[in-house]
Amino acid sequence: MADKKKKIFTLKDSTPRRPVILRSDRDASKDQSKEKPEKEKQPTIILKTREQSAPKEDRPQSPKTIKTSSSEQESIHPCKIAQNENKEKKNIEHKPSPPLKFMTEPVKLLDENLELNPAALEFLHDSSTNYLVVGIIGTQGVGKSMILNLIANNVHDQNLCTQILNSHELPSDNTFESNDMPALENQLEALDIAGASEPKVPEKNDGLFKFKMQDIEQIERGVHCTKGIDMYITNDRVILLDCQALWSPSLIEESNTTITARSANVVTVDCLQIASYLMAICHVLIAVQDWFTDYNFLRYIQAAEMLKPSLSASNTVSSSQEGSESTGGGESHPHLLLLHNRCQLEDFTPESLTIMQDLYRKAFQKSNLQLNSGMYMYSDTNKNGLNVDSVCKGYNVETCGTPINLFLLPEIYDDFDNREIYRGHPPFEQLAKRLRWMILGVNRHQITNVPNLSEKGWFHYCSKAWETMRKCTFFMEYERFLP
């Protein structure tokens, strides 16, 4: 038995042992990856989603697509979208753009009730950005309409003084009194003669002067000629704005039958709103006087500037306008031109000009209105030294001091063509030409902080600015303190 046991042990010991091989992690991962697709295969489920049944616009979007679409909208400018839409419309319609519409007579920007007239929009263009807006303020009878007629006149006329003198005269066939005119018009309408072949009013507007000036009858009666704001656009795209007279007694009489302090204050505040309105929408503002100087008029300009509310581009211009991005700059202020009309011989002396400039420089030293814009009577070597000495040779910086925006126009007499009389100033035609040259050559700054504002964009800005003026509480509070 012992021998058998020994043999068994020897047999067991003689058989070779198989080595134990441990599997590595790499092999296990490979095997698992091979087994997983076989075990974890999910059944394909076909479902009809909402996106297929809903329209494309109403389908929900993932956050990734929302981000990409918003980034694309931010990168594309609104004005470029509008331009592309206009190009597509033009390609589809194949129609030429409407021709440029020119004015033959002024239209109302603000009517008699001081409401904005939308009919003026048809004379403005969306593509034109190189325009100049010139406004004018002054008391009754100082010659505001005449000065705008000089600026609107593109052709130099040697008979300018004659036409100005004749413009104040009544027509030769007007032999009826003013009280009989309504009855005569009714008789003409009854006889069906009112539609005559030669109307007189269009002939007068088609002449040299576009703005209606006071005739001798209106001057004698003390009646104003302009109510509200008249607008005329020249062929050079110069927008001229003729304002109603400031503190005119005839305006107070029209507003109320009995002139009271309340009615006078209402008209005063209305004129202040118009003056502030012109400061907000004009490149150049002309302040006209016919004598030196009305201190109340200067205080009126200062009050209009003080009460003018700030007009931001975000509130006044719609975002669909071209160039709707704001520059963030400060609010601009117009160029102020102090113009003296009907000046006498003593007003053209260097001593008088020095006194005028010193007074205006001190009166507007705290004003934001631009008084150093190059619209000078004489040459300034630093700013405006071109073609000035040929017109005004007697003035220079040494005798009259540093110039400001001040200009003098002489009074026109019946013997203006008599060259033997010493006038003390250049001829009226040369001064009128010089005035027009200075105003048209002024720097055209941005009226708002919207760059490249078109003419139609300017009109929309005017409408929003006038609404802001009418609702501003500054003017109501100012009326409370008036006597």
Side-chain angles (χ1 to χ4, degrees), residues 40 66 69-70 74 85 91 112 140 179 227 240 248 260 277 303 335 355 363 432 480:
E40 296 180 0
I66 292 173
S69 62
S70 62
E74 290 176 358
E85 290 177 356
N91 294 330
E112 291 80 4
Q140 182 175 326
N179 296 330
K227 183 69 185 291
L240 303 174
S248 174
T260 59
Y277 180 60
H335 305 283
I355 295 172
R480 290 177 50 229

Side-chain angles (χ1 to χ4, degrees), residues 186-233:
N186 294 331
Q187 292 178 5
L188 291 175
E189 291 178 359
L191 294 174
D192 198 16
I193 308 178
S197 59
E198 296 181 357
K200 296 180 182 179
V201 176
E203 288 182 359
K204 187 174 181 181
N205 291 335
D206 291 339
L208 181 64
F209 299 142
K210 301 300 180 182
F211 291 95
K212 186 180 180 301
M213 296 186 288
Q214 283 183 326
D215 53 23
I216 190 63
E217 182 182 355
Q218 292 176 336
I219 294 173
E220 291 176 349
R221 292 173 55 195
V223 181
H224 63 278
C225 185
T226 305
K227 183 69 185 291
I229 296 179
D230 294 341
M231 183 182 73
Y232 179 76
I233 306 175

Side-chain angles (χ1 to χ4, degrees), residues 443-462:
N443 181 27
R444 305 184 183 186
H445 60 272
Q446 295 182 7
I447 296 179
T448 64
N449 55 357
V450 178
N452 299 326
L453 190 69
S454 63
E455 293 180 2
K456 286 189 176 180
W458 171 80
F459 183 82
H460 294 306
Y461 169 76
C462 290

Side-chain angles (χ1 to χ4, degrees), residues 203-317:
E203 288 182 359
K204 187 174 181 181
N205 291 335
D206 291 339
L208 181 64
F209 299 142
K210 301 300 180 182
F211 291 95
K212 186 180 180 301
M213 296 186 288
Q214 283 183 326
D215 53 23
I216 190 63
E217 182 182 355
Q218 292 176 336
I219 294 173
E220 291 176 349
R221 292 173 55 195
V223 181
H224 63 278
C225 185
T226 305
K227 183 69 185 291
I229 296 179
D230 294 341
M231 183 182 73
Y232 179 76
I233 306 175
T234 64
N235 297 341
D236 300 330
R237 311 313 297 171
V238 179
I239 304 174
L240 303 174
L241 303 178
D242 190 8
C243 170
Q244 69 180 17
L246 304 180
W247 341 298
S248 174
S250 59
L251 287 174
I252 303 174
E253 188 178 1
E254 275 190 2
S255 62
N256 205 344
T257 55
T258 58
I259 299 178
T260 59
R262 171 64 179 171
S263 59
N265 293 341
V266 169
V267 173
T268 302
V269 172
D270 288 342
C271 294
L272 273 173
Q273 288 179 339
I274 292 176
S276 301
Y277 180 60
L278 291 178
M279 289 181 184
I281 65 174
C282 291
H283 293 105
V284 180
L285 181 63
I286 306 174
V288 188
Q289 299 181 78
D290 56 355
W291 62 289
F292 178 75
T293 180
D294 190 357
Y295 185 66
N296 292 325
F297 180 66
L298 300 181
R299 292 184 61 188
Y300 202 84
I301 298 175
Q302 294 172 351
E305 183 187 4
M306 175 187 66
L307 297 175
K308 183 176 74 71
S310 61
L311 303 171
S312 61
S314 59
N315 296 329
T316 55
V317 181

Side-chain angles (χ1 to χ4, degrees), residues 115-174:
E115 294 180 359
L116 198 73
N117 182 21
L121 187 61
E122 63 181 0
F123 298 98
L124 302 171
H125 302 278
D126 201 9
S127 59
S128 176
T129 57
N130 188 16
Y131 57 91
L132 178 67
V133 185
V134 180
I136 193 167
I137 58 174
T139 55
Q140 182 175 326
V142 295
K144 299 184 296 297
S145 302
M146 184 203 73
I147 293 168
L148 289 183
N149 287 328
L150 297 178
I151 302 172
N153 185 18
N154 295 328
V155 181
H156 179 65
D157 192 0
Q158 296 180 355
N159 300 323
L160 183 63
C161 297
T162 305
Q163 295 188 9
I164 292 175
L165 291 173
N166 295 335
S167 63
H168 300 295
E169 297 180 358
L170 293 173
S172 59
D173 56 348
N174 189 9

